[in-house]
Amino acid sequence: MAPLPDGFSYAEWNATYNALSFGIAAMGSATIFFWPQLPNVTKNYRTALTITGIVTLIATYHYIRIFNSWSEAFTVASKDGGDYTVQLTGAPFNDGYRYVDWLLTVPLLLIELILVMKLPQQETVSLSWKLGLASALMVALGYPGEIQEDLSVRWFWWCLSMIPFCYVVFTLAVGLAEATSKQPSPAAASLASAARYLTVLSWCTYPFVYMVKSVGLAGPAALADVLAKAVFGVLIWAIAAEKSAVEESGKLLPN
């Protein structure tokens, strides 16, 4: 892991501290919400909803670890009633937790979207493998550059990671457009489209955060993660609930 830069202000430290705390609360509460909803959707969508809860559970665990590591890396004190000062303790801040989390959760996020769309089985399996492997490769290629101080090396790994990144984003934005239009109701199609574009929007924040070498940006990254996982999960649940209602009412449109 790369060493922490010195010179954080109290406002910067506190913003990251609060953002990480918000991430824990959002991911944890989302997990508690998703799994009890399983009986309320048909069996066709329970796997997708189960994966949604697994994603937010993994994220909750890693945000707790990141939060603890962040707290241990600094001492915050006020001398004689003055302004708070932030100093490094010498303990390492393990930003590798973010990459371990993404390596596990990013492929699962894409797979849950594919599953909830209920594509033909062969297409579901093919897309799950392609998008899952591409997203894992993107994360794996990004980490070697994350821990480098040399900007030229960081740019090299950034460029490599952008190759699978662009493939995934193109597939979400363009490749799944036809499948979205074939959803069984206008509401389901609209929700599926929103889930696709929310993923694209939240993903597009990471390449820019990556190139700015400041651990203080863990705060904005945490907020983007909440969008990409907790809010995205709510959309997955809404799609599953809407399609379950259509199927149970016997109004499923013919293929």
Side-chain angles (χ1 to χ4, degrees), residues 141 153-162 207-208 210-211:
L141 289 173
V153 177
R154 286 176 60 78
W155 272 110
F156 172 77
W157 288 107
W158 183 86
C159 291
L160 286 182
S161 67
M162 285 300 97
F208 300 104
Y210 177 92
M211 286 314 302

Side-chain angles (χ1 to χ4, degrees), residues 34-186:
F34 293 139
W35 285 341
Q37 296 299 317
L38 286 172
N40 298 330
V41 301
T42 63
K43 64 180 182 180
N44 292 326
Y45 309 109
R46 288 174 186 167
T47 300
L49 199 55
T50 299
I51 293 174
T52 302
I54 291 173
V55 165
T56 51
L57 178 63
I58 292 171
T60 302
Y61 167 76
H62 282 116
Y63 270 101
I64 291 172
R65 299 302 299 268
I66 294 169
F67 179 86
N68 291 338
S69 183
W70 180 261
S71 299
E72 293 166 0
F74 298 93
T75 57
V76 181
S78 175
K79 185 177 181 180
D80 299 326
D83 294 337
Y84 285 101
T85 59
V86 180
Q87 294 181 321
L88 297 175
T89 63
F93 172 64
N94 190 352
D95 55 354
Y97 287 130
R98 288 187 298 142
Y99 279 82
V100 174
D101 179 85
W102 293 339
L103 190 62
L104 294 170
T105 60
V106 170
L108 290 175
L109 283 168
L110 298 173
I111 290 171
E112 70 188 61
L113 175 61
I114 294 166
L115 289 174
V116 83
M117 293 184 75
K118 199 183 176 184
L119 303 172
Q121 183 176 0
Q122 185 175 357
E123 188 177 357
T124 295
V125 173
S126 176
L127 275 174
S128 295
W129 275 106
K130 289 178 181 178
L131 292 180
L133 290 174
S135 59
L137 181 62
M138 176 194 72
V139 175
L141 289 173
Y143 184 67
E146 178 73 23
I147 60 176
Q148 298 294 325
E149 292 296 322
D150 187 332
L151 280 179
S152 63
V153 177
R154 286 176 60 78
W155 272 110
F156 172 77
W157 288 107
W158 183 86
C159 291
L160 286 182
S161 67
M162 285 300 97
I163 297 172
F165 172 88
C166 291
Y167 167 74
V168 173
V169 168
F170 176 82
T171 302
L172 289 172
V174 179
L176 291 177
E178 183 179 355
T180 301
S181 66
K182 293 180 179 179
Q183 294 302 298
S185 73

Side-chain angles (χ1 to χ4, degrees), residues 5-24:
D6 204 353
F8 280 103
S9 68
Y10 175 68
E12 292 170 332
W13 177 88
N14 197 47
T16 298
Y17 183 96
N18 290 332
L20 293 173
S21 179
F22 173 74
I24 294 170

